[in-house]
Amino acid sequence: MKLRLIYPKWEKLQEQTTFNLPPHGPVVMAAALPKDIEVEFFDENVQEVKFDENVDLVAISVMLTAQIKRGWQIADKYRQMGVKVIFGGIATMLHAEETLNHADSVFLGEAEGRMHDVIDDFKQGKLKKVYNYLLKHPDISCIGTARREILNREYYFHKGVQMVDLVHASRGCRFVCYPCCANFLGGKLFRPRPIDKVVEEMESIDNNRLFIVDNSLAQDTQWEKDLFKAMIPLKKKWCSHTIEDKPEVLDLAAQAGAWYVYQAIFDTSDYIKERVKRYHDHGIMVEGTIFLGMDNQTEDDILRLIDFLLEIELDLAEFTVLTPFRHTKSYDDLLRQGRIIDKNWDNYNAGKVVFNPKHIKPERLQELYHYAWDTFYEKETQEQKMFKLMLNVIEKEIKDGTYKSRRDDLAESSFGNKIKR
Ligand code: B12
Ligand code: SF4
């Protein structure tokens, strides 16, 4: 049986250097399919999707809200040709009801242990309209090594540098943050994968640089320490979301190859300043995830925040405007208060103001968003800051003998040329 798996494109943040990472949800889902299924994968962010009838079933994997409408268009086209379409992935769960209008089947939840039944149903012509496993998480040890061989790796280079490979070591999140839908998706229970399986998967990846995409690694100190200890012999270099702010955890993370972290920064407190310094002291770089437009922010606060980020020598900053994604507290609050001004999901790419901020006019917040990007990267451009990030990892790799001079040799790449000019 031939299954065409499609990852729809979305509009990137225009101010951010465009790069494409290998999709993760689709390759993890593919590992849960019966082995005899022939999978043909299309990532529309890097290639054209093929539209023909030479396929048994189309599966659309949607991670972001900003992808969902394109997913529906693709599905409509296939369904007009008589091909059946099933949807799954994060944004499918967030937009399940609307997606039902464009799908033969909508799969909600995690795929492990479920796909054999789904495929059997399809083969018997009995595909269900909804498979709802949202509250029934599979046994975490069932998660297998992702089927990365369905990816065309040639697409995931930026200026000659191979992008990181994505991997995850846990699911769920025991924290509850205002703009986040993680609890709705994976539940409030922290569900770590068995460490030996994670290490086995990491080892199998033909790339020394990884992105550990877990919601937050900082959920169970002992597990985090055990994971990092087990990762040390792999000598991989990796980025992730927050690492717990404890000296012994940061020490182990650094030994395990921590390269940089994504750290949410909401304010200009000494705590943030010192937090960033502690990462730096451990040789770990920091990319700030900065939300603009929170209810407690005035225009002056935003201007002060940008100066602060430069003062604390943040390595990279990703500015986004607060976006009320479905199934978050921010969506519920702003909807109740009648402050959502745009419901076109294409505009939910985190670079467009879709709500009425409390202290600032929407148009002004949009200007401040552009101003934030321009100001932060004024003296040192994104390319230059990314070059430093690359130097950091290369230095680490040279130190432990894992650096491979490949297509990503900076001296030869256009990164290097840009910097020399
Ligand atoms: C990796 C990631 C990214 C990568 C994506 C790389 C890529 N090539 O796709 C990058 C860095 C680009 C990214 C960007 C953004 N992201 Co992001 N990202 C994630 C992250 C950390 C991991 C996703 C993942 O791989 N999960 C693990 C996989 C295994 O789970 P899964 O996808 O659910 O797949 C399972 C099931 O859903 C199912 N499944 C999946 N597909 C299918 C298909 C079918 C047919 C079936 C049956 C089943 C099925 O099977 C899988 C196994 O069980 C999530 C948070 C998280 N931890 O999940 C946020 C998340 C998806 N991102 C989010 C956000 C907000 C963003 C941004 C908009 C803003 C930002 N700065 O973070 C930007 C995009 C800005 C822009 N305009 O470009 C939000 C979602 C918001 C939304 N509703 O759109 C999330 C949930 C984070 C959060 N907690 O708020 N992101
Ligand atoms: S923002 Fe991070 S830590 Fe907070 S609930 Fe979401 S995934 Fe968990």
Side-chain angles (χ1 to χ4, degrees):
M1 175 185 150
K2 272 195 194 165
L3 179 133
R4 188 167 291 164
L5 180 57
I6 300 174
Y7 194 58
K9 70 173 171 219
W10 74 86
E11 188 184 329
K12 306 290 174 312
L13 297 175
Q14 270 159 23
E15 294 72 14
Q16 192 167 42
T17 307
T18 305
F19 56 85
N20 288 289
L21 302 180
H24 192 49
V27 293
V28 177
M29 186 283 274
L33 287 167
K35 291 286 162 278
D36 57 333
I37 304 278
E38 198 186 310
V39 181
E40 190 186 12
F41 179 62
F42 288 92
D43 175 358
E44 205 190 4
N45 296 284
V46 295
Q47 68 190 130
E48 295 269 317
V49 168
K50 204 198 281 179
F51 287 97
D52 64 28
E53 292 151 22
N54 185 19
V55 57
D56 298 303
L57 177 64
V58 165
I60 304 190
S61 178
V62 196
M63 183 188 80
L64 295 171
T65 292
Q67 280 175 293
I68 194 81
K69 283 179 70 180
R70 178 60 190 151
W72 297 341
Q73 279 173 3
I74 296 171
D76 292 347
K77 212 161 159 177
Y78 272 110
R79 293 178 81 212
Q80 275 157 19
M81 296 191 291
V83 178
K84 294 238 180 291
V85 178
I86 182 169
F87 272 78
I90 292 171
T92 302
M93 298 183 233
L94 302 179
H95 298 273
E97 281 165 28
E98 300 154 275
T99 303
L100 276 169
N101 298 326
H102 304 270
D104 295 286
S105 180
V106 166
F107 182 94
L108 310 174
E110 297 173 8
E112 291 74 16
R114 318 290 190 199
M115 296 315 293
H116 287 255
D117 287 349
V118 173
I119 295 295
D120 279 351
D121 288 352
F122 170 74
K123 284 182 176 166
Q124 290 171 30
K126 291 182 186 160
L127 199 57
K128 296 191 179 71
K129 191 74 188 171
V130 180
Y131 292 88
N132 189 348
Y133 296 109
L134 260 173
L135 298 173
K136 296 175 216 136
H137 301 131
D139 173 4
I140 196 79
S141 61
C142 293
I143 301 173
T145 289
R147 260 174 88 178
R148 294 182 180 77
E149 64 276 11
I150 65 172
L151 299 171
N152 181 343
R153 304 202 142 260
E154 290 299 311
Y155 290 129
Y156 304 106
F157 280 79
H158 175 69
K159 294 182 189 289
V161 177
Q162 186 179 5
M163 295 283 96
V164 288
D165 259 77
L166 278 56
V167 63
H168 70 287
S170 67
R171 291 187 182 166
C173 186
R174 64 183 184 81
F175 304 111
V176 184
C177 301
Y178 189 66
C180 181
C181 53
N183 301 141
F184 172 78
L185 296 168
K188 285 188 187 149
L189 193 69
F190 175 57
R191 292 176 292 135
R193 292 177 63 190
I195 288 177
D196 55 342
K197 284 209 160 189
V198 176
V199 168
E200 187 184 294
E201 171 157 7
M202 288 177 172
E203 199 165 17
S204 75
I205 301 174
D206 184 21
N207 186 349
N208 193 40
R209 299 173 192 165
L210 305 176
F211 174 7
I212 305 176
V213 298
D214 299 41
N215 291 314
S216 164
L217 289 172
Q219 303 201 53
D220 175 333
T221 310
Q222 193 54 51
W223 174 82
E224 206 179 356
K225 283 163 61 177
D226 291 346
L227 175 69
F228 295 157
K229 272 186 211 151
M231 283 171 61
I232 293 171
L234 298 179
K235 297 187 178 174
K236 299 273 182 186
K237 307 293 166 274
W238 47 273
C239 57
S240 71
H241 295 120
T242 321
I243 298 171
E244 204 169 355
D245 195 13
K246 289 188 177 154
E248 69 275 23
V249 179
L250 287 171
D251 279 348
L252 281 171
Q255 288 179 53
W259 168 22
Y260 68 99
V261 289
Y262 294 95
Q263 174 70 47
I265 299 183
F266 292 98
D267 59 42
T268 58
S269 61
D270 283 349
Y271 171 72
I272 288 292
K273 189 175 177 175
E274 280 148 26
R275 179 102 163 93
V276 169
K277 184 172 179 309
R278 282 190 288 274
Y279 281 126
H280 283 165
D281 290 346
H282 283 85
I284 303 169
M285 298 182 87
V286 183
E287 171 159 0
T289 317
I290 329 287
F291 292 95
L292 304 179
M294 306 289 285
D295 271 2
N296 61 357
Q297 275 177 335
T298 61
E299 176 162 346
D300 280 351
D301 291 329
I302 292 179
L303 296 174
R304 169 77 196 108
L305 183 61
I306 302 163
D307 289 344
F308 173 77
L309 302 177
L310 291 162
E311 276 160 36
I312 63 172
E313 297 180 0
L314 194 70
D315 301 292
L316 282 172
E318 187 188 67
F319 296 95
T320 55
V321 278
L322 174 70
T323 305
F325 293 114
R326 294 291 318 270
H327 297 285
T328 62
K329 175 113 178 44
S330 63
Y331 179 82
D332 295 344
D333 284 356
L334 293 172
L335 186 72
R336 205 181 46 248
Q337 296 161 10
R339 289 167 60 194
I340 297 186
I341 54 176
D342 185 347
K343 279 250 185 127
N344 177 355
W345 304 132
D346 281 348
N347 292 334
Y348 281 58
N349 75 340
K352 293 180 188 167
V353 182
V354 295
F355 75 107
N356 251 321
K358 193 162 182 182
H359 301 293
I360 312 167
K361 294 244 170 321
E363 310 76 46
R364 183 62 188 145
L365 180 60
Q366 193 67 63
E367 284 168 11
L368 286 168
Y369 163 81
H370 296 300
Y371 174 82
W373 279 96
D374 291 348
T375 310
F376 184 80
Y377 290 106
E378 190 179 354
K379 292 223 168 74
E380 205 172 38
T381 63
Q382 261 181 85
E383 294 267 311
Q384 286 166 327
K385 285 187 186 289
M386 282 172 73
F387 182 72
K388 283 187 175 170
L389 201 80
M390 295 313 298
L391 279 186
N392 174 290
V393 76
I394 289 174
E395 273 165 19
K396 286 184 159 85
E397 288 171 345
I398 290 176
K399 211 163 154 192
D400 67 15
T402 52
Y403 178 63
K404 281 196 223 138
S405 176
R406 307 166 293 213
R407 276 176 64 183
D408 64 358
D409 189 332
L410 281 183
E412 299 299 322
S413 78
S414 50
F415 256 132
N417 292 336
K418 273 245 161 57
I419 297 298
K420 273 184 240 148
R421 276 203 297 273

